[in-house]
Amino acid sequence: MINIAVLGYGTIGSGVVEVLKTNGESIRKRAGDKINIKYVLDIREFPGDPIMEILVHDVNIILNDPEVKIVVEVMGGIEPAYSFVKEALLKGKSVVTSNKELVAKHGAELLDIAKERELNFLFEASVGGGIPIIRPLNQSLTADEIVEITGILNGTTNYILTKMSDEGMNFDEALKDAQALGYAERDPSADVEGYDACRKIAILSSLAYGMQVDFEDIYTEGIAGITDVDIKYAKKLDARIKLFATSIREDDKNVYAMVAPMMIRANHPLYSVGDVFNGIYVRGNVIGDVMFYGSGAGKLPTASAVVADVVDAAKHLNKNIWTIWSSKKLELIDINFVKHRFFVRADRKKASISDMKKLFGEITEVPEVVKDETAFITPLITEKEMKAKKEHISGMLGSIRVRF
Ligand code: HSE
């Protein structure tokens, strides 16, 4: 029997307990031994829930119990999660976590501690919910140099954009739904402003390039500025708006990363990724394109990835599974020099098409969706050029990057 402890009995923690109960027998066969939850840590009480029998409020009971071999951290946030996880590793326990904030900030250090002690620090559930992406990057795509990772990495915003587009729901209604379904973060601005996707692309990039990509360096825009009018324009263009988290290695070594809404058409592999689903598109220099798709958020999909890591940790109790993620910082290219095409809307009285032609040169006009608006797509220009040109568009109503 392998004893584990679960830190946090929220959405994911209760999912982990449920998955281990539902699939206990097949999990036992795969892990080679029974996985027993000896403790659940939470500050709250859960009257009437059988979990009360193993509920503790003091983490030291877990940390000081040598019978606990694997600690599952599903509390979220940096503190006290970081202190608990570090202490657990220092006390000889492997750790499994779904906590992207923790992994993005302290992943390199925690992996090092685990490696020095022949333990494991596993975090499959931190990116893409139930989709296997961390393990494929570490163990399957190892023959390749990764040149691009582009993902729809946030289920909540993908759900909101899909509902706005397919059902004409408004932003707030769709967000409320996502919260009720357990997809959204406690502070939904983490989803809406793109911070969650930013941490996830930082983790994937660090693993792909083997160096520390600081999430603070990643240019991040969320979907708060996307309106129903933008969605109508996207439809007119046979396009959809998706929140993309991208990291691209240009000319063999320079990497840039960004999170921003993107207009894409049906020829893009992520076009059909709707609802709460996530999709991650990886390009390697040898393999070419690979796609990962599945449930990107929610109790059971995320718990499934957590428990799969528990199984892996159980199978490698005294053996570190090597992961290359050095704490050496990868300097990203300044986003100002990255090129995109932009869809632009402006008040026609203040910015006519001929004014815009003078400003941008070759533009693609977009048929009218809203009366008295000028709408067009710019040629390929740098972010810096776009910023400068925006200053000259009086009556500017909005812009969205375009990938077609
Ligand atoms: N709030 C996150 C999302 C949960 O919506 O994708 C999964 O990390």
Side-chain angles (χ1 to χ4, degrees), residues 12 98 100 125-129 153-158 178 182-186 190-191 196-197 200 276 278 296-298 302:
I12 313 301
S98 60
K100 53 249 162 176
S126 65
V127 182
L153 296 179
N154 182 265
T156 302
T157 45
N158 205 37
Y183 303 152
E185 296 300 302
R186 219 169 298 161
D191 297 300
D196 176 80
K200 290 169 175 168
V276 71
N278 282 191
T302 311

